[in-house]
Amino acid sequence: ALLADLLLQKRWLLATAESCTGGLIAGACTERPGSSQWLDCGFVSYSNRAKTALLGVPAALIAAHGAVSEPVARAMAQGAVQQSAAQASVAVTGVAGPDGGTPDKPVGTVWFAWQVGDQLISEMVHFGGDRHAVRQSTVAHALHRLVQHLQAVSPV
C-alpha cells in the first residue's frame, strides 16, 4: 500500500526489469487492486539477448561484466524507464541457483538497481537458501528498497 501511495502522490508510473525473478516483482505489484494506476509494465529479460533487445543493454557491457553485474543492473533500470512511460523502475539480475554460481558470483548473488526520477541507485546482496528462497528474498528486497528510495526523493 505504501508503494502505491508514494507513486500515486508523485503521479509516477513504475516499470520492472527482471531477470532472475522472471516477473515475480511485477506479479507482486499486480496482486494489489488498483495497480493499473501506478504500474506501467514489466520486462522479463531473462536471456542476454532479451536484455539487449528489450532494454537496450549494450551487448558489449554484458560481455565485459557478465549479466549479473552492477553495470548491467543499472543499464536495465535505465532501459526500463526509457522503454516505458514510467518515471521509476527496479531492475534485478542474479544467480538464483541451484547452478550457475562462480567463486566471485556464488548462488544467491543479486544485483539491484532503482531509477527514481533522475537518481540511479544500485546495490548487491547475497541471499541464502534455495532457488525459491533467493527469488522470494529478491522480490521483497527490491520492493522494500524501492519504497525507501521513493521516500527519499522530494515530491515533484
Side-chain angles (χ1 to χ4, degrees), residues 40-84:
D40 183 48
C41 60
F43 298 92
V44 178
S45 54
Y46 207 68
S47 69
N48 290 346
R49 186 208 61 79
K51 288 174 182 64
T52 299
L54 298 175
L55 298 167
V57 178
L61 195 70
I62 298 171
H65 300 279
V68 180
S69 64
E70 184 173 25
V72 170
R74 291 172 71 89
M76 288 171 66
Q78 290 174 306
V81 168
Q82 289 163 358
Q83 300 299 323
S84 71

Side-chain angles (χ1 to χ4, degrees), residues 95 97-108:
V95 185
D99 321 316
T102 63
D104 27 316
K105 294 177 189 175
V107 169

Side-chain angles (χ1 to χ4, degrees), residues 2-13 37-38 87-88 115-117 146-156:
L2 187 53
L3 174 59
D5 291 345
L6 288 165
L7 289 164
L8 288 169
Q9 281 168 15
K10 294 182 189 326
R11 293 192 168 84
W12 279 11
L13 293 172
Q37 295 174 29
W38 52 268
Q87 295 79 23
Q115 176 89 44
V116 180
L146 175 60
V147 166
Q148 291 180 328
H149 296 315
L150 284 165
Q151 287 172 323
V153 171
S154 58
V156 174

Side-chain angles (χ1 to χ4, degrees), residues 83-156:
Q83 300 299 323
S84 71
Q87 295 79 23
S89 69
V90 56
V92 296
T93 180
V95 185
D99 321 316
T102 63
D104 27 316
K105 294 177 189 175
V107 169
T109 302
V110 181
W111 272 102
F112 295 83
W114 298 267
Q115 176 89 44
V116 180
D118 57 4
Q119 291 187 353
L120 183 61
I121 308 127
S122 51
E123 73 177 313
M124 194 246 319
V125 181
H126 289 284
F127 296 111
D130 63 7
R131 181 178 179 83
H132 178 75
V134 168
R135 286 163 41 108
Q136 292 303 317
S137 297
T138 299
V139 171
H141 185 78
L143 293 172
H144 173 73
R145 298 285 284 146
L146 175 60
V147 166
Q148 291 180 328
H149 296 315
L150 284 165
Q151 287 172 323
V153 171
S154 58
V156 174

